[in-house]
Amino acid sequence: MSNVLVVGGTSGIGLEFARTRAERGDEVVLTGRDAHRAGTVAKEFGARGIALDLSRPLEIAAAVADVGRVDHLVIAGVSRDDNKVAEYDIGAALDLVTLKLVGYTEVVHALRPRLHDDSAVVLFGGQAKERPYPGATTVATVNAGVRGLMNSLAVELAPIRVNTVHPGVVGDSPYWQTKPEKVLATLRTETPTGRLASMADVVDAVDFLLRNRSVNAVELTVDGGWLLG
């Protein structure tokens, strides 16, 4: 049994990962911005929920103050930001940069005394860093920055392992399920496997990065080869 903390675990892939590990018998703590929602979601599968807002890094240490030993730390919190240079929203950009680069780092900093030599950390990036789209100005930049953060943490925290997962289009995720079927069908034709990644695929990839003790400072792409299209 492992002690697992999932930051950003009340929806999407973070939720699926938290549920999977709890159902496996691990002790799981998940976080969300809202304490009531985090607690309600966690209770559904025997986990514990706490409030934590990655965009408010000065409050993170207090939020995780009563979290104990952490074997596996997954930082999956994300924010959808449609921010074009032509109509640049500085406030939205600052929020996303703070959430992913400062917030992710502060989580690790605050939990450092509760990590141990065999702990493992997985950060969430995204494929916008390789194939940006109109409106991905900040998203692409920040996801590229996660690579630097991963490398820095892997060196500084050694022998604790730190890896990153970069999901592509995850067809059954809440975000992509709202897209028209015509859009998803086009994306499938652009993917060599002929299918989009699923949340289960990403959960399995995260589990691998946490489990394999020789995988460190690795960026794992989960997109069915979509970038080759």
Side-chain angles (χ1 to χ4, degrees):
M1 183 180 73
S2 299
N3 296 316
V4 181
L5 175 60
V6 184
V7 177
T10 59
S11 65
I13 298 167
L15 172 57
E16 287 303 304
F17 180 80
R19 179 185 289 114
T20 298
R21 294 298 295 265
E23 291 175 348
R24 190 183 299 173
D26 292 324
E27 292 289 334
V28 176
V29 178
L30 63 82
T31 81
R33 292 186 177 185
D34 179 77
H36 177 72
R37 173 169 170 74
T40 300
V41 169
K43 188 177 180 180
E44 293 176 0
F45 46 87
R48 175 187 169 209
I50 61 175
L52 185 154
D53 188 341
L54 287 166
S55 68
R56 301 172 69 90
L58 294 174
E59 300 173 7
I60 289 175
V64 299
D66 63 348
V67 173
R69 171 187 171 107
V70 178
D71 302 314
H72 291 166
L73 171 60
V74 176
I75 311 181
V78 299
S79 178
R80 298 289 178 180
D81 177 46
D82 184 8
N83 205 343
K84 300 179 177 66
V85 173
E87 304 95 21
Y88 193 50
D89 184 336
I90 294 176
L94 287 172
D95 282 347
L96 183 55
V97 171
T98 300
L99 184 153
K100 269 214 165 179
L101 300 185
V102 182
Y104 277 27
T105 308
E106 176 57 16
V107 168
V108 177
H109 165 249
L111 291 170
R112 179 64 186 91
R114 283 153 279 181
L115 299 172
H116 54 88
D117 286 358
D118 289 327
S119 292
V121 179
V122 170
L123 311 175
F124 266 64
Q127 288 298 70
K129 70 183 179 66
E130 302 295 342
R131 188 185 282 187
Y133 50 86
T137 302
T138 311
V139 175
T141 302
V142 168
N143 284 340
V146 172
R147 174 191 297 127
L149 176 59
M150 175 194 72
N151 289 337
S152 176
L153 291 176
V155 170
E156 188 171 348
L157 299 178
I160 295 169
R161 295 181 300 105
V162 183
N163 293 292
T164 299
V165 63
H166 293 290
V169 177
V170 181
D172 61 348
S173 67
Y175 176 78
W176 284 102
Q177 278 188 325
T178 65
K179 302 301 180 184
E181 173 55 29
K182 183 178 180 180
V183 172
L184 298 178
T186 299
L187 290 168
R188 279 192 289 269
T189 65
E190 296 173 351
T191 305
T193 59
R195 60 180 291 274
L196 301 178
S198 69
M199 290 198 290
D201 295 332
V202 182
V203 166
D204 184 63
V206 173
D207 198 51
F208 163 74
L209 293 173
L210 292 168
R211 185 183 68 251
N212 192 302
R213 298 178 67 182
S214 291
V215 176
N216 190 29
V218 165
E219 295 182 277
L220 182 56
T221 297
V222 185
D223 70 351
W226 176 65
L227 284 179
L228 297 175

